[in-house]
Amino acid sequence: MRGWWQEISGLVLPVACGGCGSPRTSLCERCAVALLDVRARRVRPAPEPAGLPVVHAAAVYEDAVRAVLLAHKERGALGLAGVLGQALAGAVRAAARVPRDGPLLLVPVPSARRAVRARGHDAARRIALAAAGELRRSGTDARVVAVLRQRRAVADQTGLSAPQRLANLRGALEVRGGADGLLTGGRVVLVDDLMTTGASLVEAARAVEAAMGESAGAAGGLPVPAIAGFAQPGVVAAVVASSPASFEINRN
């Protein structure tokens, strides 16, 4: 049944692979392999910004992977969210490998409001929802906790250097009022589709840490000291893809 439906829909709404453009499929086998057949690994941009949590990526941001992410985010190929969610789920598993009680709490990094309006959808949140579903199907308790929001406008990041991106985003995110309690009782994993300089994840980690600290203080808890490599114990990050150089730096 699926076959004849694809035949008819292909006549009405032409379908092409989001990675290479091959006709009559939203994602060909070769491009799916590029996205899903790489073991998720830790990635670090160079230079690595202070405050960056440990980040794991599922794939290298180049060629087919780059095309698939852009097709989903910029060209509205929403059917690709499922396979991108599978890739992100692999990175989440690698990031949250330390056993811990409670569910995995996937916190999407929000895009600028104007970008979401222009695209007509929130790419990171859509992929996070697909990843949470994939994790649950494999027996891992996971949920999306979309608590982050922009507290002020930011400039377009395109063309900005790494230090300029950090300055542009500093203080731009916050956990929406009353939502800090949603970050308790599980392992917080910041999630996004792509990491370049790491500036967005640094700011997301800062905002989440602030909310978690306030929540612990209100409950009479004590602050937990930071440990090397983590913005805060328990807060890690996972992305679908990262630059080739961020993978290379971890091979040395």
Side-chain angles (χ1 to χ4, degrees), residues 100-193:
R100 187 168 181 154
D101 293 335
L104 295 180
L105 307 175
L106 309 190
V107 180
V109 177
S111 298
R113 295 188 188 96
R114 63 177 178 276
V116 173
R117 287 195 299 269
R119 294 168 183 152
H121 72 118
D122 187 330
R125 184 171 182 173
R126 186 179 294 273
I127 296 172
L129 289 167
E134 177 71 17
L135 289 163
R136 288 193 297 270
R137 282 189 292 273
S138 66
T140 300
D141 188 5
R143 65 194 66 166
V144 175
V145 185
V147 296
L148 286 174
R149 67 180 180 187
Q150 285 199 324
R151 61 187 298 182
R152 63 169 176 81
V154 297
D156 188 343
Q157 297 274 81
T158 305
L160 297 183
S161 66
Q164 288 171 331
R165 289 188 177 205
L166 285 169
N168 183 41
L169 293 177
R170 189 173 296 121
L173 298 180
E174 66 180 358
V175 171
R176 54 187 173 83
D180 52 308
L182 298 175
L183 297 170
T184 62
R187 183 76 183 270
V188 175
V189 184
L190 302 172
V191 294
D192 207 349
D193 57 349

Side-chain angles (χ1 to χ4, degrees), residues 11-237:
L11 294 174
V12 180
L13 298 171
V15 176
C17 173
C20 66
S22 296
R24 307 176 76 79
T25 179
S26 60
L27 188 68
C28 72
E29 184 176 350
R30 184 180 65 177
C31 292
V33 166
L35 185 62
L36 298 173
D37 268 19
V38 179
R39 182 176 61 85
R41 298 197 300 274
R42 184 177 176 184
V43 289
R44 288 176 288 186
E48 183 176 357
L52 183 71
V54 169
V55 187
H56 282 75
V60 179
Y61 187 63
E62 61 184 3
D63 303 331
V65 172
R66 180 178 184 274
V68 170
L69 279 168
L70 289 175
H72 175 260
K73 177 185 280 186
E74 305 294 350
R75 298 197 295 277
L78 304 185
L80 294 171
V83 71
L84 290 170
Q86 290 180 50
L88 181 59
V92 170
R93 290 188 189 100
R97 63 189 182 278
V98 179
R100 187 168 181 154
D101 293 335
L104 295 180
L105 307 175
L106 309 190
V107 180
V109 177
S111 298
R113 295 188 188 96
R114 63 177 178 276
V116 173
R117 287 195 299 269
R119 294 168 183 152
H121 72 118
D122 187 330
R125 184 171 182 173
R126 186 179 294 273
I127 296 172
L129 289 167
E134 177 71 17
L135 289 163
R136 288 193 297 270
R137 282 189 292 273
S138 66
T140 300
D141 188 5
R143 65 194 66 166
V144 175
V145 185
V147 296
L148 286 174
R149 67 180 180 187
Q150 285 199 324
R151 61 187 298 182
R152 63 169 176 81
V154 297
D156 188 343
Q157 297 274 81
T158 305
L160 297 183
S161 66
Q164 288 171 331
R165 289 188 177 205
L166 285 169
N168 183 41
L169 293 177
R170 189 173 296 121
L173 298 180
E174 66 180 358
V175 171
R176 54 187 173 83
D180 52 308
L182 298 175
L183 297 170
T184 62
R187 183 76 183 270
V188 175
V189 184
L190 302 172
V191 294
D192 207 349
D193 57 349
L194 173 67
M195 181 182 74
T196 51
T197 64
S200 296
L201 289 172
V202 167
E203 174 56 18
R206 182 207 61 77
V208 166
E209 289 169 19
M212 291 174 70
E214 290 174 3
S215 180
L222 297 175
V224 182
I227 58 176
F230 285 82
Q232 175 168 316
V235 177
V236 292

